[in-house]
Amino acid sequence: MLYLSQMLGQPVFDEDGERIGSISDLAIQTGEVFPRVTSLAFKGPGNVPFMISWRKYVQAYDGEAVRLCVPSTGIRFSYLQPQEVLLARDLMDRQIVDTQGMKVVRVNDLKLSESGTQLRLLGAEVGVRGILRGLAPWIERVVAAAASAFGHKIEEQIIAWNYMDLLDRDLSKVQLSVSHTRLNELHPADVADILEQLDPAQRAAVFEHLDDERASDAISEMEDEYQADTIDDLDDARASRLLGDMEPDDAADIVRDLPYEKAERLLRLMGMEDAADIRKLLGYRDETAGGMMTTQFLVMDADDSVSDAIEAIRRLPEDWPSIHYLYVNDEYGKLAGVLSLRNLVLSQPETPLRDVMFSDDLIKVLPDEDEDEVAESISKYNLWALPVVDENEKLLGIVTFDDAFDVIEEDSEETKSSTWTRGALLSIVGIAALIVYTLMVLQIAGYAG
């Protein structure tokens, strides 16, 4: 196997055996699973850069030099094509998104394979071996040998090219390599994990290649500290569209964290119904049932039949959140009962909802209930959602299980961060041991030099 770091600087000879320069880069065509090397870039006399077709002019590469099939006078130089990228310039030391491992990593080297006179790119080396090889091949060998002597093996960490592709032709600015087609195929939570690892400029570049539905889903899945910043970095028109596509409670949480002027601009650009739902939720204090709840729920009258309820469910928009419960009002508009979707479909179509709903000891909360109490109730009673009512027992919204889970998870993280565990102490000891080990290895490398 070959590595780009080993090839850079190696000589280029023409057909007559005359050295005409040294390898400075290789170009690939990006549309293939394992892209062919299409062009050779080299520096000639006086470090003048040249580029030639690999297929047309390269006769052989023997691991130490490139040999051409024509004399230097017969070379016709070429230019980088729109679908070509230079490996050293555009990928080495750049950040890429590993769409298989869902993480952002840095390219330390690039691995190639030989097939006759043809070279193909296999993938990116993102581990420590690539760093060491970039310093000098002998350093990689010495450190690998030293690690082996201590009972450790430094493995290659290769990300195959088919798990990394080009997002933007101008990688010198974007410093990102990711397939927007493949990114669109990932679960929104995985997209969110990747986006959280990028800086704002890179994140904005990715959002340019996501449609509105995928973008709003991804923002909804991001951690709270990233959501408002991401929306704030987008232009107002798109930011308002994305917020309008989200569930009202998620959108309200983000709007609450935006600067007031920005929030008002986005709400004014939004559809009246979406803006009204969000403004209603903004009227409740954060970290309360009112601040957590969503206004997307289905409520029917007690005199309605089971078939009426099923037909109402069928008429809901495709993007309506999953329904676990149907809520039932009495003749005064007060919450009288709740009905699970399972019980609904198992009941006879003509049956009035009052005859199949659950109404005894109905569990509900007021909008100013603390979010921890709400989450505890949902967990204690194994509920998918908890109704929020006003002092007149009128249904205002529901707090769903996923929002309660977020509160529980946040509390758990705070507990972990405030507790000094034995495991943390052992981790620090391990890091210290690793530092000592690294210093020993570097000392060995120094002696070898």
Side-chain angles (χ1 to χ4, degrees):
M1 292 294 177
L2 300 173
Y3 297 91
L4 181 64
S5 62
Q6 296 172 337
M7 295 184 65
L8 297 179
Q10 290 183 333
V12 179
F13 296 99
D14 70 1
E15 184 183 40
D16 300 326
E18 178 186 356
R19 177 169 178 160
I20 61 172
S22 57
I23 300 173
S24 60
D25 216 331
L26 301 175
I28 59 167
Q29 184 83 18
T30 60
E32 300 176 308
V33 175
F34 294 105
R36 292 173 294 111
V37 171
T38 51
S39 298
L40 168 68
F42 65 93
K43 290 182 178 179
N47 282 332
V48 177
F50 297 101
M51 180 174 290
I52 60 175
S53 166
W54 183 280
R55 179 186 61 80
K56 186 175 181 180
Y57 293 112
V58 175
Q59 181 181 53
Y61 173 70
D62 59 10
E64 296 181 355
V66 168
R67 303 185 186 278
L68 306 184
C69 59
V70 295
S72 59
T73 55
I75 295 175
R76 297 293 179 270
F77 300 106
S78 59
Y79 300 92
L80 199 66
Q81 300 302 306
Q83 295 302 313
E84 288 182 320
V85 294
L86 289 169
L87 296 184
R89 187 194 72 180
D90 294 337
L91 290 179
M92 284 282 277
D93 296 323
R94 303 293 186 186
Q95 284 183 302
I96 62 170
V97 173
D98 172 9
T99 58
Q100 184 184 40
M102 312 304 173
K103 57 187 176 183
V104 178
V105 290
R106 183 171 294 278
V107 176
N108 299 322
D109 207 347
L110 291 154
K111 190 172 186 177
L112 303 107
S113 68
E114 295 179 89
S115 177
T117 60
Q118 185 63 63
L119 296 184
R120 288 186 180 273
L121 175 64
L122 296 182
E125 162 67 74
V126 299
V128 68
R129 293 196 74 130
I131 298 175
L132 298 172
R133 194 183 306 115
L135 296 173
W138 69 265
I139 294 180
E140 179 196 9
R141 292 193 296 271
V142 168
V143 174
S148 179
F150 283 97
H152 298 285
K153 186 177 181 181
I154 305 178
E155 301 282 358
E156 278 191 330
Q157 296 182 40
I158 303 292
I159 297 177
W161 173 261
N162 55 315
Y163 288 114
M164 47 179 263
D165 207 340
L166 301 182
L167 171 70
D168 191 293
R169 177 63 189 85
D170 191 1
L171 291 181
S172 61
K173 292 181 180 178
V174 177
Q175 292 188 301
L176 176 69
S177 172
V178 60
S179 167
H180 60 266
T181 300
R182 190 167 296 110
L183 199 65
N184 270 323
E185 296 170 357
L186 298 177
H187 189 281
D190 294 326
V191 177
D193 287 342
I194 290 173
L195 291 171
E196 288 169 3
Q197 300 175 65
L198 305 178
D199 64 38
Q202 294 171 332
R203 200 176 299 135
V206 173
F207 271 104
E208 290 180 7
H209 295 270
L210 292 175
D211 59 42
D212 284 356
E213 181 181 358
R214 300 291 295 181
S216 62
D217 288 345
I219 293 175
S220 295
E221 295 287 349
M222 294 172 76
E223 296 294 332
D224 294 347
E225 62 263 32
Y226 296 102
Q227 290 179 324
D229 288 343
T230 300
I231 286 290
D232 200 16
D233 289 336
L234 299 175
D235 66 84
D236 289 353
R238 191 173 193 209
S240 67
R241 289 201 310 273
L242 297 186
L243 287 172
D245 289 341
M246 295 179 192
E247 294 184 21
D249 56 330
D250 291 336
D253 288 340
I254 296 173
V255 171
R256 191 177 281 115
D257 293 333
L258 290 172
Y260 176 78
E261 294 79 8
K262 175 86 170 185
E264 281 299 315
R265 286 201 308 272
L266 299 186
L267 289 171
R268 284 196 298 269
L269 288 170
M270 209 176 294
M272 292 183 61
E273 186 176 346
D274 291 332
D277 286 340
I278 294 173
R279 287 186 186 278
K280 187 185 299 182
L281 293 174
L282 290 173
Y284 298 101
R285 290 187 298 108
D286 198 13
E287 299 183 353
T288 63
M292 296 171 68
M293 71 182 183
T294 178
T295 54
Q296 290 183 309
F297 55 87
L298 185 59
V299 62
M300 304 288 293
D301 292 330
D303 292 332
D304 290 332
S305 67
V306 168
S307 62
D308 292 332
I310 293 175
E311 184 57 33
I313 293 173
R314 287 174 177 161
R315 291 195 301 267
L316 292 175
E318 289 184 8
D319 59 352
W320 195 265
S322 298
I323 293 178
H324 299 289
Y325 301 118
L326 175 73
Y327 298 93
V328 184
N329 282 342
D330 62 17
E331 62 270 29
Y332 304 107
K334 297 181 179 181
L335 181 64
V338 63
L339 181 63
S340 72
L341 199 59
R342 178 180 181 277
N343 287 344
L344 182 69
V345 298
L346 292 178
S347 301
Q348 294 300 315
E350 66 281 1
T351 307
L353 295 179
R354 68 170 66 256
D355 293 342
V356 291
M357 70 181 186
F358 175 81
S359 57
D360 296 335
D361 299 322
L362 193 61
I363 301 169
K364 51 189 179 294
V365 293
L366 294 170
D368 57 356
E369 187 82 22
D370 185 84
E371 64 176 10
D372 290 329
E373 298 296 327
V374 175
E376 184 178 343
S377 294
I378 288 178
S379 174
K380 178 179 179 180
Y381 298 108
N382 296 319
L383 301 174
W384 286 106
L386 181 64
V388 182
V389 298
D390 64 13
E391 62 276 6
N392 297 315
E393 296 292 314
K394 291 189 176 182
L395 186 60
L396 300 173
I398 60 173
V399 177
T400 56
F401 171 82
D402 57 331
D403 289 324
F405 180 79
D406 288 342
V407 172
I408 295 171
E409 190 175 40
E410 287 173 8
D411 289 344
S412 176
E413 289 299 323
E414 289 175 3
T415 301
K416 287 180 182 178
S417 63
S418 62
T419 303
W420 185 261
T421 63
R422 179 175 179 270
L425 181 60
L426 290 176
S427 295
I428 291 176
V429 172
I431 292 171
L434 180 60
I435 292 172
V436 172
Y437 163 71
T438 303
L439 291 173
M440 292 173 62
V441 168
L442 292 177
Q443 187 177 23
I444 293 172
Y447 289 141

